[in-house]
């Protein structure tokens, strides 16, 4: 079954996508400006990461618009998970194997890393689609409310970090863990409400839009990007606390 994609969803996604990409590119070049090393090394690394981000976006858009992830029946394998997991594995491998990439992401200012996820308020589109009768509530409510909450608190937590508040580190940890949990719940509910082998909810109104273009860009681009940002935030927080502990011991 091919779902009818509303015009407002296409318009919304086309407006939000370049904004999210601009955030990602901005963070990359911000890290390049602050990391140690020669200009050639710093900006060469930033250029390579920028190309990788754009190629990833183009690939996700091509596969999504080609209906590569659309479920064809109740026995279908949820291939959309590949679009989510492969970028995460590639990013993890890159940071693990390349000192330059690791240095760049660790040089991105923590407040900006957190504030970047203000784009998550765009998850409110799930609530609009639910109210319009196009998404099941089992998926739309937790995904939409969780994303909007994460996006709103991103600004608050980023402000605390910028002001070096004594509550900033604990707030950043709590916010990041909540944001990750929101994404995990959204992915799980997306699978359980969509046609496929794990479809156990919303049989009367299955979640057909989430594997259709353009909404499929959420699990194949926006969600992996958000998880990457959360991972970098937690990595920086861990190093920050470790450095503080070593100084206190000394």
């Amino acid at each position: 079954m091919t779902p009818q994609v509303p015009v407002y969803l296409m318009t919304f996604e086309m407006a939000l996508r370049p904004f999210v990409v601009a955030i990602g590119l901005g963070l990359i070049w911000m890290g390049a400006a602050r990391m140690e090393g020669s200009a050639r090394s710093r900006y060469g690394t930033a250029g390579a990461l920028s190309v990788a981000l754009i190629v990833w976006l183009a690939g996700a858009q091509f596969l999504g618009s080609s209906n590569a992830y659309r479920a064809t029946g109740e026995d279908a394998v949820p291939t959309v998970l590949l679009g989510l997991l492969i970028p995460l594995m590639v990013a993890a491998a890159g940071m693990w194997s390349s000192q330059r990439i690791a240095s760049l992401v660790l040089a991105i200012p923590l407040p900006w890393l957190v504030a970047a996820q203000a784009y998550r308020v765009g998850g409110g589109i799930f609530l609009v689609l639910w109210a319009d009768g196009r998404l099941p509530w089992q998926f739309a409510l937790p995904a939409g409310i969780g994303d909007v909450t994460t996006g709103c608190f991103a600004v608050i937590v980023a402000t605390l970090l910028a002001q070096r508040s004594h509550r900033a580190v604990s707030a950043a940890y709590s916010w990041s863990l909540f944001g990750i949990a929101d994404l995990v719940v959204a992915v799980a509910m997306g699978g359980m409400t969509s046609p496929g082998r794990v479809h156990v909810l919303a049989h009367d109104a299955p979640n057909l839009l989430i594997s259709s273009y353009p909404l499929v860009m959420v699990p194949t681009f926006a969600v992996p990007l958000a998880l990457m940002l959360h991972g970098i935030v937690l990595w920086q927080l861990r190093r920050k606390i470790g450095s503080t502990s070593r100084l206190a011991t000394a």
Side-chain angles (χ1 to χ4, degrees), residues 22-219:
I23 289 175
L25 292 174
L27 292 174
I28 289 171
W29 289 93
M30 195 178 298
R34 294 169 55 92
M35 69 181 286
E36 297 181 355
S38 65
R40 180 178 180 180
S41 173
R42 292 185 289 122
Y43 296 120
T45 303
L49 288 177
S50 298
V51 170
L53 179 65
I54 294 171
V55 169
W56 172 27
L57 172 66
Q61 181 176 347
F62 173 77
L63 292 172
S65 60
S66 300
N67 299 322
Y69 298 116
R70 183 176 295 173
T72 57
E74 292 298 323
D75 60 342
V77 176
T79 54
V80 70
L81 288 178
L82 296 176
L84 187 154
L85 295 175
I86 290 176
L88 290 175
M89 291 188 290
V90 171
M95 285 189 286
W96 180 266
S97 62
S98 173
Q99 182 61 42
R100 290 183 180 180
I101 294 176
S103 297
L104 187 147
V105 298
L106 287 172
I108 302 172
L110 187 55
W112 285 104
L113 274 173
V114 174
Q117 292 214 53
Y119 77 81
R120 296 269 292 274
V121 297
I125 191 66
F126 296 136
L127 302 177
V128 175
L129 290 167
W130 164 68
D132 196 22
R134 298 178 184 273
L135 285 180
W137 67 266
Q138 295 96 328
F139 165 75
L141 292 186
I145 294 172
D147 271 348
V148 171
T149 302
T150 302
C152 290
F153 274 91
V155 178
I156 297 173
V157 174
T159 301
L160 291 174
L161 288 167
Q163 295 176 343
R164 300 182 182 275
S165 169
H166 67 280
R167 298 174 296 171
V169 171
S170 59
Y173 261 117
S174 299
W175 168 83
S176 201
L177 293 175
F178 175 86
I180 293 172
D182 164 55
L183 295 172
V184 172
V185 169
V187 169
M189 296 307 294
M192 289 190 288
T193 58
S194 303
R197 296 185 180 181
V198 294
H199 187 190
V200 296
L201 300 172
H203 286 283
D204 56 334
N207 188 355
L208 300 176
L209 277 180
I210 196 61
S211 60
S212 302
Y213 186 80
L215 206 60
V216 73
M217 294 294 290
V218 173

